[in-house]
Amino acid sequence: MFKISKEEFAARVDKLKTLMKEREMQACLIYGDEYRKENLRYMSNYWPLFERGAVMVTLTGEPFVIAAPEGEMFCREMSAWSDVRLLPEFACVTVPDKIEYPQAHYTSLTEIRQEIQGKEPLLRIGIVGIDAMPEPLMKVIADSFADIEIVDANDLLFKLRMTKTASEVACLQEAARIADEGYKLMIERAKPGMTELELASLAYGECTKQGAENIPFCLLTSGKRVDTIIGRASGKVIEDGDMIMAALAVQVEGYVATVNFPFVAGEMSEEQKAFIDILVEAENQALSKIKAGANQNEVVRTVKGYFKKMNVTEYDLYPPMHGCGLAEAESPYPDENSEAIFAAGMTVNMDVSLFGHPHGSNRIEESLLVTEAGYESMSKLVRHLSKTWKESATISVC
């Protein structure tokens, strides 16, 4: 079973408290909802459904979780922390209506403030997730903590999440394993005459069967529809010779790994082979630049340099690497001028892509663990496809 232990959540809280002391914060509220869940899940394991949530960390004592009535039992089931409070302002994200829950036992932000002040002077409170929080809720918080300095503390969580523990890596590796199985099935079953939705459904079904907690997306386009950076599967019928661009993201215990490798339904043209060859070679060259202590900008420069050599720079639309973890795309997200350095324990996605090329648009994407010696790919499938492509210019999942 892939889990983040209670002890690991406690260690995260201790690290956050250290950062809070450095910033002279007496409390930190970490906000999240169904759509921006990452920081909240990192600190509490709670992942709201329909509603809003938060975890309050103070310098003394255990954190407590803030939820809404409809999801209370769900929160208690998931949360790493046993103390759960309910706030009426945290009810359903998608409606402005006030929803009545006559049996709910509510607290208030004013009561929470008084409780914290009863333990220690409260001069400054940090908030993680200000950018994701609706303005009316932020106003309620500001009013409830009037005369107390409120500061943006997003950077504290980004700093804590930048490198991963062995447990976090294990969750990502399991997500990648499951994604491999779903993606492999799409390659095996893709054929002219089926719709994009039918092909995507194979991945959804297989990944669920394999134990995915969630499938954040299965982007899938074919034929002319690949001339886009992202796209959802549609009712379009796949034709013979259609290039398929499919990116499959799988979530396990909150952690998301992604796989993507170009393939063609039916017969592949020589032009399509040449296009895929550029992507494979660009990624292989970039991978050689990844190891602890190396500058992240070398990955970007290597890909861009190879694309320039192959005269495809006009189809290179964004950087070829980004972080991964509790979000499919998270820091780091380097460009050619980045001064950031790789550290052992970072997890990143190679995301080498070309869009709008006359012979197709596509990307190669796989999740990687940065090590002292280089990297470890979490996707056995992408490594296999890349290796066999270089040997024979064919796509075989066997």
Side-chain angles (χ1 to χ4, degrees), residues 6 11 21 29 52 58 66 112 186 193 197 238 254 273 292 303 359 370 388 390:
K6 174 67 179 291
K21 289 176 184 177
L29 184 144
R52 300 181 173 93
T58 56
I66 303 171
I112 289 172
M186 286 197 294
L197 285 166
I238 297 170
K273 289 180 181 179
V303 171
H359 303 303
V370 178
T388 55
K390 293 301 292 180

Side-chain angles (χ1 to χ4, degrees), residues 269-300:
S269 70
E270 291 301 316
E271 292 82 5
Q272 288 171 329
K273 289 180 181 179
F275 171 79
I276 296 172
D277 190 63
I278 293 173
L279 291 175
V280 171
E281 181 60 26
E283 195 208 15
N284 283 339
Q285 289 190 20
L287 288 171
S288 70
K289 304 299 181 181
I290 297 177
K291 73 172 184 177
N295 196 310
Q296 295 171 17
N297 67 29
E298 285 302 313
V299 170
V300 183

Side-chain angles (χ1 to χ4, degrees), residues 50-126:
F50 306 132
E51 301 171 318
R52 300 181 173 93
V55 57
M56 180 70 83
V57 178
T58 56
L59 293 178
T60 57
E62 281 197 349
F64 58 86
V65 178
I66 303 171
E70 192 169 355
E72 179 182 0
M73 295 308 297
F74 176 51
C75 176
R76 293 185 183 280
E77 180 182 58
M78 288 194 72
S79 176
W81 312 109
S82 59
D83 190 350
V84 175
R85 321 281 181 91
L86 304 184
L87 281 179
E89 294 88 357
F90 274 40
C92 188
V93 172
T94 56
V95 299
D97 310 74
K98 183 178 179 181
I99 304 173
E100 296 293 337
Y101 292 98
Q103 297 186 38
H105 298 287
Y106 286 122
T107 186
S108 70
L109 287 166
T110 300
E111 290 174 331
I112 289 172
R113 170 183 171 159
Q114 291 170 347
E115 179 183 339
I116 297 171
Q117 287 180 317
K119 297 178 181 178
E120 55 195 313
L122 184 56
L123 303 175
R124 176 182 292 173
I125 179 171

Side-chain angles (χ1 to χ4, degrees), residues 248-264:
L248 179 60
V250 168
Q251 178 177 310
V252 170
E253 287 299 301
Y255 292 85
V256 183
T258 308
V259 299
N260 188 164
F261 197 93
F263 62 102
V264 173

Side-chain angles (χ1 to χ4, degrees), residues 165-179:
T165 64
S167 297
E168 291 176 287
V169 171
C171 291
L172 281 165
Q173 289 171 331
E174 176 65 2
R177 182 197 70 78
I178 295 170

